[in-house]
Amino acid sequence: MKLKNDWPKYYKKDVVSHYCPGCGHGIVHRIVAELLEEMQVGERAICVNPAGCAVLAYLYFDIDMLESAHGRGTAMATGIKRARPDLFVFTYQGDGDLSAIGTAETIHSANRGEHITVIFINNAVYGMTGGQMAPTTLIGQETTTSPLGRNPALEGYPLHITDLVATFRGVIYAERVSLDGPAGVTRTKKAIRNAFQTQIDGLGYSIVEILSACPTNWKMSPVDSFSWIKNEMTREYTPGVLTDKRGDKK
Amino acid sequence: MAQKTGKCTVMVKSESCKGCSLCIEFCKSGKLVLSDKLNKMGYRYAEPVEDTACTGCMICTSICPDLVIEVYDE
Ligand SMILES: Cc1ncc(C[n+]2csc(CCOP(=O)(O)OP(=O)(O)O)c2C)c(N)n1
Ligand code: SF4
Ligand code: SF4
Ligand code: SF4
């Protein structure tokens, strides 16, 4: 009997994560760990963690990890990459972290075209703190701070921050993927591979937004959460490549 | 917890499974079901059923957020 799925080298073995059942973070973690190994960058990789449910990601990844102040991940990654351009530097951030409190850092690091990669988990809520409304929350979506559903007249519209940064000249690769089933897993891996390759090739800034399940705060089963991503979230956030300037750079 | 009938053998580390049922939902062969028993964390865990073939398609391992499924070639 031969094991078909070897344990990823850069993922700590047999640790039961703190993530809730069916949480998208666990799937994305595994994909990232697999790619660090397949693309042979694990030994020189540094990940900057967010404030959010992924704050404890250093318990799972077996690479160098740093913790940023809430939302400031790309500022920290900028410093690391500029001081040590030989390192492979990426941030892992939620929508509350990246597109609310960290909006300034996110936009300016992208506009400066820093040679970093951003893994952006969009689950349309503040997961860690109990499911409050985020800038990414859908119109009509009920959260603990929008109990009657998000009302654009009061709370504005869902923020498409990845579409925004994709318009910047400094942003070389930007893609949005929907982690709503097995095909979504494949697409997520391909998108993160392209983003990582952009940095490996020295081309500049890359970002992947992943529409990701938070069953606990959505108050749905994991299976229903995956359907909700497919049927509701993708209507607001269309998956696809948002910019690809790799050809212009080579 | 191993079951063998098809081309491949699937195993679930039941003590680490959180019972999210994503593997059960997406396995096209109907090879996995939720156990009636609870693990130490208090979750009903996924387990393979007898008399159903596992094709080794690796969909369950790709969707499991907790890396608790192993698939073996026979
Ligand atoms: C400066 C500061 N303000 C507020 C908080 C509280 N806080 C922790 S995580 C979080 C939101 C996280 O949401 P998100 O980035 O969407 O990540 P998720 O938990 O959903 O993965 C907030 C507001 C904090 N840690 N630091
Ligand atoms: S609260 Fe949501 S994002 Fe956080 S671990 Fe639970 S399911 Fe995942
Ligand atoms: S490998 Fe495929 S057939 Fe076998 S249990 Fe997993 S999903 Fe089902
Ligand atoms: S996907 Fe993983 S954690 Fe979820 S029920 Fe299946 S084996 Fe358990």
Side-chain angles (χ1 to χ4, degrees):
Chain A
M1 284 215 315
K2 195 185 167 301
L3 183 61
K4 277 162 69 82
N5 55 320
D6 286 325
W7 193 270
K9 183 174 171 196
Y10 297 107
Y11 212 56
K12 290 179 188 164
K13 247 199 133 167
D14 297 324
V15 186
V16 179
S17 81
H18 72 291
Y19 296 120
C20 310
C23 173
H25 279 301
I27 305 175
V28 180
H29 278 24
R30 195 202 65 245
I31 291 171
V32 169
E34 286 173 358
L35 286 171
L36 291 171
E37 185 176 352
E38 289 167 24
M39 302 180 82
Q40 300 182 328
V41 286
E43 298 304 318
R44 58 185 181 96
I46 292 195
C47 176
V48 181
N49 291 340
C53 285
V55 69
L56 298 176
Y58 56 82
L59 294 176
Y60 314 128
F61 285 105
D62 207 357
I63 58 170
D64 286 336
M65 310 283 277
L66 283 167
E67 191 62 57
S68 76
H70 199 8
R72 276 54 175 169
T74 54
M76 227 167 144
T78 297
I80 300 166
K81 188 71 183 184
R82 287 190 177 205
R84 290 286 307 275
D86 55 310
L87 297 180
F88 181 81
V89 184
F90 66 101
T91 69
Y92 185 106
Q93 303 177 260
D95 46 332
D97 189 83
L98 178 149
S99 75
I101 195 168
T103 310
E105 284 76 7
T106 301
I107 286 183
H108 289 293
S109 62
N111 192 47
R112 291 192 307 267
E114 299 296 340
H115 286 222
I116 59 173
T117 304
V118 174
I119 311 286
F120 169 27
I121 306 292
N122 179 0
N123 57 20
V125 286
Y126 287 10
M128 184 196 204
T129 44
Q132 292 85 356
M133 182 176 53
T136 47
T137 296
L138 303 191
I139 294 168
Q141 185 183 339
E142 292 172 19
T143 70
T144 49
T145 47
S146 59
L148 303 177
R150 182 180 188 161
N151 174 1
L154 284 176
E155 290 117 13
Y157 295 88
L159 180 61
H160 291 227
I161 197 157
T162 314
D163 299 83
L164 176 68
V165 301
T167 65
F168 299 169
R169 272 182 280 172
V171 173
I172 305 305
Y173 191 84
E175 183 167 353
R176 181 185 293 116
V177 290
S178 168
L179 191 46
D180 56 17
V185 174
T186 309
R187 281 193 297 271
T188 301
K189 188 162 182 181
K190 192 161 165 252
I192 300 178
R193 186 189 296 279
N194 286 345
F196 278 3
Q197 194 64 48
T198 302
Q199 182 176 166
I200 293 168
D201 292 342
L203 300 178
Y205 183 101
S206 51
I207 179 168
V208 178
E209 172 179 343
I210 299 132
L211 307 180
S212 171
C214 176
T216 301
N217 287 304
W218 296 354
K219 303 186 179 11
M220 291 175 204
S221 73
V223 170
D224 288 348
S225 301
F226 275 55
S227 304
W228 193 75
I229 297 173
K230 190 175 231 147
N231 301 330
E232 303 297 331
M233 264 190 111
T234 57
R235 286 166 58 186
E236 178 68 44
Y237 300 107
T238 312
V241 177
L242 305 172
T243 192
D244 185 358
K245 308 183 186 84
R246 291 176 297 171
D248 313 347
K249 281 266 165 183
K250 275 183 181 159
Chain B
M1 181 84 23
Q3 297 294 333
K4 239 164 116 173
T5 25
K7 194 154 64 72
C8 293
T9 303
V10 57
M11 290 176 71
V12 177
K13 293 179 210 158
S14 48
E15 283 308 322
S16 319
C17 168
K18 296 176 187 162
C20 72
S21 299
L22 290 170
C23 57
I24 297 166
E25 172 74 12
F26 291 111
C27 170
K28 291 195 185 83
S29 311
K31 178 71 185 165
L32 298 162
V33 292
L34 216 50
S35 169
D36 290 332
K37 296 190 214 75
L38 303 180
N39 63 18
K40 287 206 189 81
M41 293 191 288
Y43 294 119
R44 290 176 66 190
Y45 49 86
E47 62 180 5
V49 284
E50 286 179 59
D51 305 323
T52 301
C54 167
T55 60
C57 69
M58 310 306 279
I59 281 177
C60 56
T61 57
S62 84
I63 206 77
C64 175
D66 288 280
L67 290 84
V68 298
I69 307 179
E70 291 182 334
V71 178
Y72 293 86
D73 266 330
E74 248 178 280

